[in-house]
Amino acid sequence: MKITFIGAGNMAEAIVSGIVKQQVVAASNVCLTDISEERLEYLSQKYGVETSLNNPSAVADADVVVLAVKPQIFPSVWPEIAEAIKPDALVISVMAGVPSATIAGGKTIRIVRVMPNTPALIGKGAAGIAAGELATEADLQLAEKLMSAVGIAVRVKEEELHAVTAVSGSSPAYVFYLLENMLAAADQMGMEKGIARELALATVIGAAELMKESGEEADALRNKVTSKGGTTAAAINTMIDRGVGESIIAAMKACAARSRELANG
Ligand SMILES: NC(=O)c1ccc[n+]([C@@H]2O[C@H](COP(=O)([O-])OP(=O)(O)OC[C@H]3O[C@@H](n4cnc5c(N)ncnc54)[C@H](OP(=O)(O)O)[C@@H]3O)[C@@H](O)[C@H]2O)c1
């Protein structure tokens, strides 16, 4: 199987790194294209993959074409690629918000859409995978296999990718925002930066792993550490009074709404 990535940015590198290291695809069967020769040189040296500055020739013999350019670049690169891809090639798009019907443009192209997230860079990603109209079970399995090399992959309906964007695609930023403010508070309380960072990071990772391993719900675990009149209650009550929970729900709805807006052009 020959696989060509159009756009050799962060997400393409994350996926390529995973699939080459785990030998899902041989490096010699992976090709990356980009507009930066320097970037391609770096990736070729690091992963032993093929590279090209020419999108149409790079897709001509590919069995799988991964669209990994920014959505705003898509309209300018797609016409030249669509003409050149093999009729039976599978197209996998990691582009946020571009519907499979827009990519297909009325042509009979098999498309699978993937919504990844940045922890894929360290093999701990969470991706939603959705079949376009003509994609087969085998296509979904292949996309799952590729994305499983950089984290977990779950199947959803294409319409659900807007919610996936809110739940996992954009959500690393919410966690960073939480950490940013936890560390700002620690600083205001006079704590040494390095120690605060170490404690806060271990806590976020530990709390997530506790929830995963125990199988318990978030509110049950929260209640267990919140005794009436205690220190945790003082913190949680402040958050409740200030509407932090409602803000998170509103933020995620805004994220999904923006995803819909982008999809509708
Ligand atoms: N990063 C995320 O968290 C995330 C999450 C979910 C989905 N995605 C999706 O993943 C896709 C890639 O994101 P990214 O973060 O990897 O972006 P990125 O780092 O900007 O990667 C895109 C790459 O494509 C290159 N490029 C621009 N024009 C090109 C052309 N005509 N032909 C070939 N390559 C071209 C860019 O070069 P220049 O930089 O020189 O322009 C850049 O290296 C996006 O569609 C995004 O929506 C990303």
Side-chain angles (χ1 to χ4, degrees):
M1 181 182 74
K2 174 141 196 252
I3 177 164
T4 293
F5 288 76
I6 304 297
N10 292 318
M11 202 40 79
E13 181 176 359
I15 300 169
V16 166
S17 157
I19 60 177
V20 169
K21 270 186 209 148
Q22 295 188 26
Q23 298 178 343
V24 177
V25 185
S28 56
N29 284 330
V30 175
C31 178
L32 288 133
T33 76
D34 205 88
I35 47 174
S36 160
E37 209 163 337
E38 205 184 331
R39 174 80 180 148
L40 293 178
E41 178 61 25
Y42 158 81
L43 292 166
S44 143
Q45 290 291 326
K46 187 163 180 189
Y47 301 104
V49 291
E50 301 289 317
T51 60
S52 171
L53 289 163
N54 185 322
N55 290 331
S57 74
V59 297
D61 61 344
D63 304 299
V64 179
V65 175
V66 181
L67 299 174
V69 287
K70 293 277 188 211
Q72 55 272 30
I73 301 292
F74 168 74
S76 61
V77 296
W78 182 237
E80 56 175 13
I81 300 168
E83 289 304 311
I85 56 172
K86 293 200 288 192
D88 62 343
L90 168 66
V91 172
I92 297 179
S93 168
V94 300
M95 297 181 299
V98 184
S100 62
T102 304
I103 300 170
K107 292 201 172 82
T108 51
I109 303 174
R110 287 162 25 244
I111 297 165
V112 171
R113 282 186 58 201
V114 174
M115 172 48 61
N117 67 8
T118 51
L121 292 166
I122 54 156
K124 295 198 182 279
I129 292 180
E133 203 188 338
L134 302 175
T136 64
E137 172 62 25
D139 295 336
L140 281 168
Q141 281 178 13
L142 178 62
E144 261 171 354
K145 199 170 163 191
L146 296 175
M147 294 315 296
S148 296
V150 288
I152 66 152
V154 295
R155 291 189 194 189
V156 294
K157 295 196 183 77
E158 185 167 4
E159 176 55 28
E160 291 171 330
L161 284 177
H162 301 299
V164 170
T165 305
V167 173
S168 56
S170 296
S171 67
Y174 323 153
V175 180
F176 299 138
Y177 187 60
L178 170 70
L179 280 162
E180 198 182 315
N181 285 291
M182 283 171 71
L183 296 180
D187 193 43
Q188 286 170 26
M189 291 185 283
M191 205 168 178
E192 200 266 310
K193 278 192 170 59
I195 293 176
R197 183 184 160 100
E198 201 178 344
L199 289 172
L201 280 178
T203 303
V204 170
I205 294 165
E209 284 184 354
L210 174 63
M211 182 166 164
K212 189 177 168 188
E213 280 184 27
S214 68
E216 288 191 67
E217 297 303 331
D219 62 340
L221 288 167
R222 173 169 63 80
N223 287 331
K224 274 189 188 172
V225 289
T226 314
S227 33
K228 214 172 167 199
T231 54
T232 312
I236 293 291
N237 288 340
T238 304
M239 289 190 195
I240 291 170
D241 287 348
R242 297 193 180 203
V244 174
E246 283 96 334
S247 295
I248 293 170
I249 292 169
M252 289 179 63
K253 286 183 176 169
C255 179
R258 181 68 186 136
S259 172
R260 269 191 202 93
E261 256 173 35
L262 291 171
N264 294 331

